[in-house]
């Protein structure tokens, strides 16, 4: 189970009556290897949300597999979102992750303009362990950094935080090991750029724990930690942020949401480890979705 410093943050979304909130999920769709929309849609649906996908790219598999195919959907997104506007689609949260091109940031800003009251959740999926993902150009990284500035919830890992802040990355970041003071400095620097709440993910110190640090504009800063499991799985970052948002949209506080997400990802990694070729296929969480639904209780 998670360990944390006690703190209380307000609810970012109030669930009322029988209303089912709608979430625009701006992510890629991956045919094989559980990640992105393949994670966001079932997790948020289990939390009683109507998930409206905005596909930023179509992948044959996640990019850890050789020979993957990608279809960039940038050219369809303007008409796609205009069609939503024409039929009066209402959205309560805009949740963005992996992007296929810098121009897609403008489409997310279109969503912000269409739905100014919607919660803005940005998972700046672009790098990990000191390495930028293969499909990310410097222009796309810069556009993602701009998008992060307006987020209500931002969930970077250490490498992504450095990119957003314009700080160097490389071998020094590969171990994901920083002390509390450096974690707080990074969180505060991200808040200073306009983000309302930051969850800095995945800090590892070789002591058997994995740490996430949370900070907000009102000066709150605290740590939530879980048991570190000694293997990496594709899609755990997508699962973490989707669980945070699922809990928020179920009416939980951000404190509760980050604890729930850490516990859920930990348990999903154990489920995954029992599957064949688990290191390649991505994170498995399907048997645990009842825990997400229980958030509504």
């Amino acid at each position: 189970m998670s360990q944390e410093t006690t703190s209380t943050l307000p609810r970012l979304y109030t669930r009322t009556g029988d209303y089912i909130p709608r979430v625009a999920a701006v992510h890629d769709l991956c045919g094989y290897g559980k990640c992105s929309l393949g994670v966001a849609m079932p997790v948020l649906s289990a939390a009683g949300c109507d998930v409206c996908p905005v596909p930023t790219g179509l992948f044959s598999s996640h990019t850890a597999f050789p020979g993957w195919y990608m279809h960039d959907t940038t050219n369809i997104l303007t008409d796609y979102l205009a069609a939503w506007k024409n039929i009066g689609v209402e959205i309560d949260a805009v949740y963005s992750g992996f992007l296929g091109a810098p121009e897609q940031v403008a489409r997310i800003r279109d969503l912000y303009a269409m739905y100014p009251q919607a919660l803005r959740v940005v998972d700046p999926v672009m790098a990990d362990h000191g390495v930028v993902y293969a499909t990310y150009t410097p222009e796309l990284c810069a556009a993602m950094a701009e998008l992060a500035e307006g987020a209500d919830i931002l969930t970077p890992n250490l490498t992504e935080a450095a990119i957003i802040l314009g700080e160097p990355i490389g071998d020094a970041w590969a171990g994901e090991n920083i002390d509390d003071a450096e974690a707080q400095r990074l969180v505060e620097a991200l808040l200073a750029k306009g983000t309302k709440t930051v969850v800095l993910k995945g800090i590892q110190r070789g002591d058997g724990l994995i740490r996430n640090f949370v900070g907000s504009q009102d000066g709150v800063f605290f740590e939530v930690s879980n048991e570190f499991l000694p293997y990496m799985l594709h899609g755990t970052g997508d699962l973490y942020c989707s669980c945070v948002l699922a809990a928020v949209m179920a009416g939980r506080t951000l404190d509760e949401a980050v604890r729930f997400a850490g516990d859920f990802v930990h348990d999903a990694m154990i489920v995954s480890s029992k599957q064949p070729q688990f290191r390649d296929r991505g994170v498995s969480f399907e048997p645990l979705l009842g825990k997400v639904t229980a958030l509504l209780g």
Side-chain angles (χ1 to χ4, degrees), residues 60-79:
S60 58
S61 67
H62 66 62
T63 57
F65 286 103
W68 50 267
Y69 167 80
M70 175 190 176
H71 175 74
D72 185 349
T73 61
T74 302
N75 290 338
I76 74 167
L77 293 181
T78 297
D79 292 340

Side-chain angles (χ1 to χ4, degrees), residues 24 26-27 93-99 105 108-109 112 119-126 136 143-157 160 164 195 197-199 201 237-238 240-242 244-245:
V26 191
H27 296 255
V94 177
Y95 168 30
S96 61
F98 179 92
L99 302 182
V105 170
I108 295 172
R109 294 194 185 282
Y112 291 169
L119 193 68
R120 302 177 183 183
V121 181
V122 177
D123 188 12
V125 182
M126 54 182 166
Y136 268 72
M144 184 73 88
E146 291 178 5
L147 185 65
E149 295 175 5
D152 292 306
I153 304 173
L154 178 69
T155 61
N157 61 37
E160 291 159 350
I164 292 167
T195 303
T197 309
V198 174
V199 184
K201 304 180 299 188
D238 299 326
Y240 181 87
C241 191
S242 296
V244 169
L245 181 56

Side-chain angles (χ1 to χ4, degrees), residues 1 3 129 175-176 202-211 225-233 262 266 269-270:
M1 297 292 290
Q3 303 175 22
H129 291 88
E176 305 289 339
I203 308 306
Q204 304 164 21
R205 296 178 182 164
D207 60 355
L209 296 176
I210 186 165
R211 293 173 166 82
S225 61
N226 286 86
E227 177 192 17
F228 174 74
L229 297 173
Y231 48 90
M232 190 191 82
L233 296 176
H266 171 272
M269 290 182 70
I270 292 175

